[in-house]
Amino acid sequence: MEYIQTMQSPLGKLTASSDGDNITGLWFENQKYYAATLEKENEVHDLFVFQLVEKWLDLYFAGSKPDFSIPIAPKGSPFRQAVWKILRTIPYGEIVTYGDIAKQLKETQGMNTSARAVGGAVGHNPISILIPCHRVIGAKGKLTGYAGGIDKKVQLLKLEHVSPEKLYMS
């Protein structure tokens, strides 16, 4: 059984899911792959972990870097898990490319993979914002896909004070 709760953000409604202890999903309403990892059996329930997420998001959207972490347990293949683990190491306000992640996978885990394969894993990230896939851009600063929408990606990067000179729209 999974539990869900909806919450409002400055960028729209979010739905969070939990196994009771960990966050297993956090999706913008109508985003690509919305609730793709959510179990069919779920119920709305107020959990402490949802309260933590709301507090974290309140701080984040107020322009602060939250100083605590949320227990997460994303569901996905070992490859996707490896990519999402790297995403969690990208510092607040910093950006990396899909190619950078592919290179890191090769160097640290011996995985020979392409930037495109990394992009697929990033795009299927089930825990938006907390696993900061919005901090991943294309080669040479190109803003590419974001399951929640490029407009939201731009807003999240602006919120984190990423310099517009580092980015370009395609």
Side-chain angles (χ1 to χ4, degrees), residues 78-145:
F79 175 71
R80 288 181 180 176
Q81 294 282 351
V83 170
W84 301 335
K85 184 175 181 181
I86 290 171
L87 294 180
R88 295 205 65 209
T89 68
I90 305 169
Y92 179 95
E94 299 293 324
I95 51 175
V96 301
T97 67
Y98 298 97
D100 292 336
I101 295 172
K103 183 178 177 184
Q104 188 173 350
L105 285 169
K106 182 171 177 122
E107 290 172 354
T108 61
Q109 300 185 32
M111 290 183 177
N112 201 10
T113 190
S114 69
R116 176 167 279 184
V118 167
V122 170
H124 283 84
N125 170 21
I127 305 178
S128 296
I129 307 172
L130 299 178
I131 298 178
C133 55
H134 60 277
R135 297 179 188 151
V136 183
I137 60 173
K140 300 178 184 169
K142 183 177 178 182
L143 282 177
T144 59

Side-chain angles (χ1 to χ4, degrees), residues 5-16 26 28-29 53-54 57-58 61 129:
Q5 185 175 51
T6 59
M7 48 196 80
Q8 292 298 322
S9 84
L11 299 181
K13 189 165 122 180
L14 291 162
T15 299
L26 183 63
F28 285 105
E29 186 174 46
V53 170
E54 286 188 288
L57 290 171
D58 286 346
F61 283 115
I129 307 172

Side-chain angles (χ1 to χ4, degrees), residues 13 26 31-32 35 44 59 66 75 80 99 113-114 121-122 144 157-158 168:
K13 189 165 122 180
L26 183 63
Q31 85 172 48
K32 192 173 187 181
V44 175
L59 290 168
K75 298 178 208 166
R80 288 181 180 176
T113 190
S114 69
V122 170
T144 59
L157 292 172
K158 282 182 180 178
Y168 77 88

